[in-house]
Amino acid sequence: MTASSPDDTMSVRGALSPDELLTTTRSVRWRLDLTRSVPEELIDECIGIAVQAPSAQNAQNWHWIVVTDADLRRSIGGYYRQAYYTYLEEEVRQRIASGHETAGAPHQDAAERRQVHSSRYLADHMGEVPVLVVAAIDIGTPVLPDANQAGIWGSLLPAAWSYALAARARGLGTTWTMLHLRHEREIAELLRLPDTVFQGVLLPTAYYLGDTFRRAPRKPLSAVVHRNGW
Ligand SMILES: Cc1cc2nc3c(=O)[nH]c(=O)nc-3n(C[C@H](O)[C@H](O)[C@H](O)COP(=O)(O)O)c2cc1C
């Protein structure tokens, strides 16, 4: 592992402004280059940037499990694929039950179809992505509290997003994924995680193909901004 320092910026690709970086870091799935290996130092560089994020009481209880071993990736990929197809079936069943669509005739707009297409591609290829990074946090006890968990996840997820941004700045694509958590225990065993360590996100990481990432359509601010109250 290389030492982490804010000066580790040698591999930054050049001219993305902060706003460009923040508005074009998309979920990369079918444009992940599965054939090109990623140097370990580049991943360390991204993690070195990530750990500049805040954490409650500056505890820095995050842990980064960098999975490059082919067998481990294949096993995690298998769990991910299983979780994805179960999720897909549940979704369809729910949409049919709610009258949103009829069996065998999915009602999806073009954007939804693209999303399903690319999510399925990732599910089918997760185990082939050259690097799988699991961001996890050690909460010091084997049970997550029932009460507000904002302090726990707030001490991990900003750093994980910084990792994704640092990766994008270096020509690496990622997708924020969570479906593997349906097999959280099995994956924890595979990765030999202590029972006080909880996984927050799985970030498949690879060089991306092409560089035409754009700002995404989002809900208008009027739907989500509340001034001086709801
Ligand atoms: C909490 C969370 C969980 C997600 N889980 C998955 C996942 O398991 N698999 C996946 O392909 N994408 C997953 N995504 C990615 C979203 O589908 C994606 O961010 C969203 O469609 C917007 O697309 P964009 O990131 O390209 O803007 C997740 C995103 C978040 C924030």
Side-chain angles (χ1 to χ4, degrees), residues 124-225:
D124 289 339
H125 296 278
M126 181 66 94
E128 298 160 53
V129 180
V131 185
L132 301 180
V133 174
V134 174
I137 186 154
D138 190 345
I139 66 165
T141 138
V143 183
L144 278 167
D146 286 335
N148 193 330
Q149 296 179 0
I152 293 172
W153 300 118
S155 296
L156 175 66
L157 304 184
W161 184 240
S162 291
Y163 169 88
L165 293 168
R168 157 86 173 114
R170 286 162 178 74
L172 299 172
T174 60
T175 291
W176 193 278
T177 75
M178 246 181 45
L179 279 170
H180 70 293
L181 292 178
R182 289 174 174 232
H183 299 285
E184 184 173 7
R185 192 167 296 168
E186 293 91 332
I187 292 174
E189 267 173 35
L190 266 179
L191 299 178
R192 304 188 307 278
L193 303 186
D195 64 0
T196 56
V197 171
F198 289 84
Q199 302 165 60
V201 57
L202 165 65
L203 293 152
T205 306
Y207 283 103
Y208 51 68
L209 302 162
D211 194 359
T212 53
F213 299 105
R214 281 194 284 266
R215 194 180 182 110
R218 295 291 199 233
K219 288 181 183 175
L221 292 193
S222 58
V224 294
V225 175

Side-chain angles (χ1 to χ4, degrees), residues 39-59:
E40 223 169 84
E41 305 75 57
L42 204 52
I43 299 294
D44 286 356
E45 219 174 88
C46 297
I47 298 174
I49 300 287
V51 298
Q52 290 295 312
S55 60
Q57 298 171 311
N58 198 18

Side-chain angles (χ1 to χ4, degrees), residues 15-25 165:
L16 280 177
S17 72
D19 282 6
E20 280 167 336
L21 179 65
L22 290 165
T23 56
T24 64
T25 302
L165 293 168

Side-chain angles (χ1 to χ4, degrees), residues 4-163:
S4 68
S5 125
D7 295 322
D8 284 349
T9 51
M10 280 108 68
S11 321
V12 174
R13 264 192 162 186
L16 280 177
S17 72
D19 282 6
E20 280 167 336
L21 179 65
L22 290 165
T23 56
T24 64
T25 302
R26 295 272 77 79
S27 300
V28 186
R29 299 185 184 95
W30 52 271
R31 284 165 65 180
L32 294 171
D33 188 342
L34 305 179
T35 63
R36 188 172 166 198
S37 62
V38 178
E40 223 169 84
E41 305 75 57
L42 204 52
I43 299 294
D44 286 356
E45 219 174 88
C46 297
I47 298 174
I49 300 287
V51 298
Q52 290 295 312
S55 60
Q57 298 171 311
N58 198 18
Q60 302 173 48
N61 287 337
W62 41 49
H63 291 269
W64 307 85
I65 300 97
V66 180
V67 183
T68 52
D69 176 84
D71 290 337
L72 280 176
R73 284 185 291 130
R74 204 172 306 117
S75 299
I76 294 172
Y79 284 123
Y80 185 86
R81 187 187 308 113
Q82 209 176 312
Y84 173 78
Y85 282 101
T86 306
Y87 155 81
L88 210 59
E89 272 170 32
E90 287 168 2
E91 271 279 286
V92 171
R93 227 176 291 135
Q94 214 171 341
R95 287 167 73 109
I96 291 171
S98 67
H100 191 71
E101 72 183 39
T102 47
H107 285 191
Q108 287 168 337
D109 63 26
E112 284 174 328
R113 270 199 300 278
R114 265 200 310 278
Q115 162 98 10
V116 170
H117 175 74
S118 82
S119 303
R120 180 178 299 165
Y121 176 84
L122 181 60
D124 289 339
H125 296 278
M126 181 66 94
E128 298 160 53
V129 180
V131 185
L132 301 180
V133 174
V134 174
I137 186 154
D138 190 345
I139 66 165
T141 138
V143 183
L144 278 167
D146 286 335
N148 193 330
Q149 296 179 0
I152 293 172
W153 300 118
S155 296
L156 175 66
L157 304 184
W161 184 240
S162 291
Y163 169 88

